[in-house]
Amino acid sequence: MAKVLMKGNEAIGEAAIRAGCLNYFAYPITPQSEVAEYLSKRMPEAGGVFLQGESEVAVGYMIFGAAGAGARVFTTSSSPGVSLMSEAISYIAGAQCPAVFVNIIRGGPGLGGILPSQADYFQATKGGGHGDYRLLVMAPASVQEAVEMVMKAFPLAEKYRNPVMILGDGLIGQMMEPVEFPDGLRSEPTNKDDWATNGMDSRNSDKQNLVKSLFLDPKALNDNNLALKAKYDRMKIEEVRYEPYNLDSPYQALIVSYGTMSRVCRTVIDNLKSEGIEVAMIRPQTLFPFPEKAIHDAADVDGCKIVFSIEMSMGQMVEDVERCIKGKRPVEWYGKCGGDVPTPEEIMEIIKERL
Amino acid sequence: MGKIFTKPEALSDNHTHYCPGCTHGVIHRLVAEAIDELGIKGRTVGIAPVGCAVLAYNYFTFDFQEAAHGRAPAMATGIKRVRPDLIVFTYQGDGDLASIGMGEIIHAANRGEKFTTIFVNNAVYGMTGGQMAPTTMPNQRTTTSPLGRNVEDTGMPIKMAELLSALQTPGYITRQTVIKPKYIVKAKKAIKQAFTYQVERRCFSLVEVVSTCPTNWGMTPLDAIDWAENTLLPYYPLGEYKTPE
């Protein structure tokens, strides 16, 4: 298929349809409202369901209901909206339903701002809602990668019967880039007769299916949490994705950075190289599961003196980076969280100062 | 001799956990009878609430989802939009529907979502231990209004059937009760009618059922029936509030 020039938000909406997801519920919020605007026209054309809910709270449960009934379904939102959906996300994870959530992060806390941010890292990777659950979190660094991650998210959500989150930032949603929608990433929804409330007649069964997260018996609840943990442990083995950059050079410093921020860091690395300073980068494409071993091993090589976690937050991912490195190298954070993306110049200055 | 009384197929053999004198059991049975008579068990999905009926799925024999407090109408919307062929109902109490879930029920009703809501109003939070509800009567004592509900501070009880009937879209809104056999017959008819409208894909339907909670009212089951009839019914008049054209 030929490349087309598309805005990130619209490409995300189109990607879901191309992936085989024809059900979308959403509530408008800047900077991702274009997804809903695009799909309000496109979903009916494709024979799908579009509904603007009355709040993100309600939308979260529309997703839960639809996913519980066995449908492929997704929503998009931005930070304050995702906070409101987090109640439902906890229930969906507890009841083990597949669904896809896209968070085009804006600045926070509170109303924050409408410019790009990565300050929802903790919310996405450590919980957000209550209880012991995890999301499979993917972080695109371009519109093309956002498209591919959205398309891959649906089969992954079904493989694990768990919500998947695409964690973008305002820039990924708002910028226009050339994209193509790989036909190979289209997938058929899996058979859900074993558990979904799709109606007993639909599956020729007289056995009731229940979609629930209440387990009053302590052993039953512990067993459910163990089953969830087993899935998250399996994700750590099978789903870690990252991109190395300049890792075969004799680098003195390692950067860990993701999403839009990692694009700036590539420029930093290229510029420093021309000045004779070698720096490498690990760009996590999955934030949960986190590329723990790759980061540890890259930091552990001789010659690497320091590790930087560069992120558009006040120091969230840096805690995971420190966890991976186990004290073997100093780890420093650098970032901004007001909506300005740090420039190559200021990052280069920080790195040179420390080396 | 023919069989003249039997348990509906849509009800399971499990014993309910409901207190003596509680009317949830009667309402469950009426829902099950309607589902049997319409022959829709194999394509019905119930939504259990948070509240005393959270375990309702143990007492029915068809598919069920379990909602968070107040969110059942949003879940029903999600199911019904992606599977319009399924018959979907929410079963909600007064704390669930009239307090924390007020937004969800109003908007689902106003969109004319083609599912059915069974709204059980017993004027108190049951499962959490008898706290004040939006439908608690003036001066009614609860565990969070120990001196009686002071309407100067908390407002007057909300009449949900009337409130929802003020919207133009919803098709069928009715208030019934099951505290005496004469009322049960009418309530059964209303519940079956509500499901029938859904089977015909006509409209949103809601049956409010004035119910009893002897445990949290601090009454015997018989006194609870008298109190419901003499105190609740004058404030919550029975009848059809809206019928589709």
Side-chain angles (χ1 to χ4, degrees):
Chain A
M1 204 200 123
K3 285 197 172 184
V4 287
L5 187 66
M6 280 185 96
K7 192 170 190 172
N9 283 331
E10 295 179 348
I12 284 168
E14 183 64 28
I17 292 177
R18 303 291 183 104
C21 175
L22 291 177
N23 302 297
Y24 175 76
F25 300 84
Y27 187 80
I29 182 170
T30 307
Q32 64 74 52
S33 299
E34 294 87 352
V35 189
E37 289 171 357
Y38 181 80
L39 289 177
S40 67
K41 179 167 180 290
R42 206 36 202 109
M43 268 301 182
E45 277 174 12
V49 171
F50 168 88
L51 183 65
Q52 180 173 327
E54 67 269 32
S55 68
E56 287 96 343
V57 174
V59 165
Y61 287 94
M62 290 171 187
I63 298 291
F64 187 15
R72 256 194 189 177
V73 63
F74 89 115
T75 188
T76 59
S77 189
S78 181
S79 312
V82 176
S83 293
L84 288 174
M85 288 177 184
S86 293
E87 182 195 55
I89 292 174
S90 166
Y91 279 76
I92 294 168
Q96 301 198 57
C97 292
V100 174
F101 291 81
V102 178
N103 181 3
I104 300 297
I105 310 177
R106 56 186 263 175
L111 271 180
I114 59 170
L115 293 170
S117 164
Q118 295 179 324
D120 295 352
Y121 179 91
F122 281 155
Q123 184 193 52
T125 62
K126 310 292 181 193
H130 60 283
D132 266 314
Y133 76 89
R134 298 289 187 145
L135 305 176
L136 202 164
V137 184
M138 295 190 276
S142 66
V143 176
Q144 180 63 42
E145 195 174 37
V147 162
E148 290 171 17
M149 284 178 173
V150 167
M151 294 183 80
K152 289 172 184 168
F154 294 98
L156 278 172
E158 287 167 4
K159 174 180 175 183
Y160 289 98
R161 282 181 57 190
N162 198 72
V164 172
M165 179 168 279
I166 309 297
L167 197 66
D169 58 62
L171 261 176
I172 298 289
Q174 291 296 323
M175 71 181 164
M176 290 183 88
E177 285 189 315
V179 287
E180 60 183 338
F181 300 90
D183 288 336
L185 290 181
R186 184 182 178 79
S187 59
E188 288 300 317
T190 53
N191 185 301
K192 302 179 177 72
D193 286 352
D194 286 348
W195 60 270
T197 62
N198 54 1
M200 295 186 296
D201 287 352
S202 297
R203 54 182 188 271
N204 290 317
S205 168
D206 55 5
K207 190 189 133 289
Q208 170 191 53
N209 276 350
L210 298 178
V211 168
K212 69 186 195 90
S213 59
L214 179 71
F215 300 92
L216 291 170
D217 173 54
K219 183 176 182 313
L221 179 56
N222 196 51
D223 286 349
N224 191 58
N225 277 313
L226 284 172
L228 297 185
K229 183 177 184 303
K231 296 196 303 187
Y232 307 142
D233 288 346
R234 185 178 167 202
M235 288 178 195
K236 288 180 185 176
I237 295 167
E238 296 182 21
E239 311 304 340
V240 174
R241 302 284 186 276
Y242 62 92
E243 184 187 55
Y245 192 67
N246 202 35
L247 211 62
D248 49 9
S249 72
Y251 55 91
Q252 298 171 268
L254 177 72
I255 290 175
V256 183
S257 189
Y258 69 98
T260 293
M261 194 65 251
S262 68
R263 293 169 67 142
V264 179
C265 291
R266 284 174 87 108
T267 306
V268 167
I269 291 169
D270 294 346
N271 290 352
L272 287 173
K273 191 188 263 295
S274 67
E275 295 179 23
I277 302 171
E278 294 289 0
V279 176
M281 176 166 68
I282 298 283
R283 173 173 76 89
Q285 292 164 301
T286 54
L287 299 179
F288 185 90
F290 197 63
E292 296 172 12
K293 185 172 183 307
I295 291 171
H296 171 273
D297 292 353
D300 202 28
V301 300
D302 291 340
C304 178
K305 296 180 195 149
I306 186 168
V307 179
F308 295 94
S309 180
I310 299 180
E311 45 187 315
M312 289 189 282
S313 75
M314 285 294 125
Q316 298 191 20
M317 183 176 68
V318 65
E319 293 188 10
D320 280 336
V321 174
E322 283 172 340
R323 186 169 56 82
C324 300
I325 288 170
K326 303 178 198 298
K328 290 181 178 172
R329 296 285 181 273
V331 176
E332 295 212 6
W333 160 83
Y334 183 72
K336 276 186 178 168
C337 199
D340 285 339
V341 181
T343 62
E345 290 72 26
E346 61 188 280
I347 297 170
M348 286 163 66
E349 197 172 315
I350 297 281
I351 292 175
K352 283 197 239 177
E353 201 179 285
R354 295 292 186 280
L355 279 177
Chain B
M1 211 178 127
K3 199 184 267 187
I4 56 164
F5 187 83
T6 185
K7 182 176 70 63
E9 280 183 18
L11 277 188
S12 75
D13 290 331
N14 293 332
H15 290 280
T16 74
H17 67 287
Y18 300 122
C19 304
C22 167
T23 45
H24 270 310
V26 177
I27 303 165
H28 282 18
R29 184 184 169 97
L30 299 185
V31 169
E33 285 179 359
I35 286 169
D36 276 11
E37 288 167 24
L38 293 168
I40 52 176
K41 193 181 95 164
R43 59 186 177 112
T44 295
V45 181
I47 317 266
V50 168
C52 287
V54 65
L55 299 173
Y57 45 78
N58 287 337
Y59 313 132
F60 293 102
T61 55
F62 45 82
D63 286 356
F64 249 89
Q65 293 196 16
E66 180 190 83
H69 205 193
R71 315 296 179 226
M75 289 180 73
T77 298
I79 302 171
K80 199 70 188 178
R81 290 278 173 153
V82 301
R83 286 290 306 275
D85 56 315
L86 294 176
I87 301 299
V88 181
F89 74 94
T90 71
Y91 188 103
Q92 301 180 258
D94 41 78
D96 186 73
L97 181 137
S99 187
I100 196 166
M102 178 66 97
E104 282 76 8
I105 190 63
I106 286 193
H107 284 280
N110 192 57
R111 286 191 301 265
E113 299 293 346
K114 290 173 184 57
F115 64 80
T116 300
T117 291
I118 308 296
F119 168 42
V120 180
N121 177 7
N122 61 10
V124 76
Y125 281 67
M127 192 179 68
T128 45
Q131 294 82 13
M132 186 181 75
T135 53
T136 293
M137 294 300 290
N139 302 316
Q140 182 184 338
R141 288 178 186 230
T142 71
T143 55
T144 51
S145 59
L147 303 178
R149 178 176 185 166
N150 177 359
V151 296
E152 295 294 320
D153 277 351
T154 63
M156 289 293 285
I158 299 177
K159 300 181 178 189
M160 284 307 299
E162 289 87 336
L163 190 153
L164 291 168
S165 296
L167 302 171
Q168 268 188 282
T169 314
Y172 184 57
I173 310 277
T174 180
R175 183 183 287 122
Q176 305 290 330
T177 186
V178 289
I179 54 173
K180 288 186 175 171
K182 63 176 179 179
Y183 298 123
I184 293 176
V185 174
K186 285 185 181 168
K188 163 67 188 300
K189 205 176 150 202
I191 289 170
K192 188 173 175 185
Q193 184 63 64
F195 277 100
T196 301
Y197 286 135
Q198 184 178 173
V199 169
E200 293 168 351
R201 302 191 180 198
R202 285 181 72 175
C203 58
F204 173 80
S205 53
L206 178 139
V207 183
E208 177 173 340
V209 185
V210 176
S211 186
T212 57
C213 185
T215 299
N216 287 307
W217 293 354
M219 296 179 194
T220 65
L222 287 176
D223 287 346
I225 287 170
D226 286 344
W227 190 78
E229 192 160 37
N230 297 325
T231 309
L232 293 182
L233 292 191
Y235 188 80
Y236 296 114
L238 306 181
E240 311 269 77
Y241 283 81
K242 248 189 143 192
T243 50
E245 285 165 15

